[in-house]
Structure formats: C-alpha cells, structure tokens
Amino acid sequence: WLCSGRNAENAVNGHGRMTLLTDMPSDIERTLMSDPQTLLGFINYAAQRYPAQMYDLVLWDHGGGPTLGFGMDNRVEEENTMSVGAIAKCLKESAVDRFDIVNFDACLMSSVEVAATLSECADYLVLSVETEPGYGQEYVTWLDALAKDPGMNGYALGRIIVDAMIAFYE
C-alpha cells in the first residue's frame, strides 16, 4: 500500500489516501515472507519505485534474537525464520546504500550480536530487548512527525519512535 497525507495530490476531501500497489513483481508477490530473497526483492522494489532521502526499514513480526532470528510466515507449518546474518546480507546487497534506521517492531531483537551484525547496514537501530506488547509500536505519532518534518535525521526519528511507544504503553 502507498499511504499519502491530507495535502497530497490524490487526497480526497482533505483526507489522506491508501492506494494498493498493483505493480508488485510477481516473483515476490506470493513468496515465503521469511525468505531473504523476498526481503531483498521488496527493498529493491521500494527503493527503485519510491526513492527517498531517508530509509527506515520496519521489520514487524515475531523476533527471536540472534539465535532464532526474525519473522515467521504463518502460511506454512514448519519453523521458518530469517537469520540476522541473512537480513544483514540482504541489506548490504540491496539498492539502498545504507539505511538511516532498521527498526525491528519485534520481540527480543536487542542484543550485542544483532547490533554488531547490522552495524554496517544502518546508522541507527530500533530494537527491543524484551517481549513487546501485542499492539507493537505506536506508528501514528512517529509517522505524523516524519510527515511534518521529512528532513529529520535518523537519530531524531529513532527517538520519536521509542518515545511514542513508551508513551503509548504508559
């Protein structure tokens, strides 16, 4: 989906709009979400179709830290997570030179091993050392802040992401 704000050209009656992207390459449209090639294909598609000055990759799903990795495609029966090393390889091979933020909206991803593995891929990491509550991160606040100041840097956005989540659950 492509989301646009209330001031966008395609806004309707002063409200933003969500547009279904129908040109997703078929080779990544129905593949296993825990397959590193799916992640790489998505990143390259998004970067080529929607180039940006800042790249914040949000990885939302189940996290298992450096041992169990990230994500699980519930469409299949067997365990199928992506290792942190495979994620780092995808990020390094992607069309994005370096991410401003890699944001795991997932449990247990904050460890020295994860940080060391991804340090060459992003300026900042947003990670949770503990299990996250069921709703995950609070996206409205930080997406609104980014829309109001699209030139903010990764450090400022990362702080807003963390502060918004803390405030939401307090």
Side-chain angles (χ1 to χ4, degrees), residues 4-169:
S4 58
R6 70 181 109 207
N7 297 321
E9 291 178 20
N10 67 344
V12 177
N13 297 326
H15 298 284
R17 172 174 233 145
M18 289 179 60
T19 306
L20 177 63
L21 300 176
T22 57
D23 64 342
M24 184 68 81
S26 61
D27 62 331
I28 64 171
E29 195 171 81
R30 298 204 183 275
T31 58
L32 191 65
M33 295 307 294
S34 57
D35 182 344
Q37 290 305 308
T38 304
L39 176 60
L40 180 60
F42 171 75
I43 292 169
N44 288 340
Y45 166 81
Q48 290 163 1
R49 183 90 198 287
Y50 303 99
Q53 294 176 326
M54 175 195 280
Y55 289 95
D56 173 6
L57 177 64
V58 178
L59 297 168
W60 177 91
D61 198 356
H62 299 291
T67 306
L68 299 176
F70 163 79
M72 185 180 301
D73 194 321
N74 294 332
R75 296 177 302 151
V76 295
E77 297 289 326
E78 71 273 358
E79 291 277 327
N80 56 77
T81 58
M82 197 178 331
S83 73
V84 177
I87 294 169
K89 186 174 187 279
C90 289
L91 302 185
K92 290 175 187 175
E93 292 176 358
S94 77
V96 176
D97 290 331
R98 185 171 177 87
F99 289 83
D100 295 270
I101 300 174
V102 172
N103 175 0
F104 281 92
D105 189 356
C107 301
L108 307 172
M109 295 306 294
S110 181
S111 71
V112 69
E113 295 87 355
V114 172
T117 303
L118 297 176
S119 65
E120 295 178 20
C121 307
D123 293 332
Y124 299 97
L125 302 171
V126 176
L127 310 166
S128 177
V129 71
E130 293 291 337
T131 56
E132 288 191 2
Y135 292 114
Q137 293 178 3
E138 194 281 310
Y139 287 87
V140 173
T141 300
W142 71 263
L143 288 172
D144 281 350
L146 184 58
K148 287 177 186 162
D149 183 8
M152 79 171 66
N153 63 30
Y155 176 77
L157 181 59
R159 287 193 57 118
I160 293 169
I161 292 168
V162 172
D163 290 346
M165 184 172 178
I166 291 169
F168 179 73
Y169 287 104

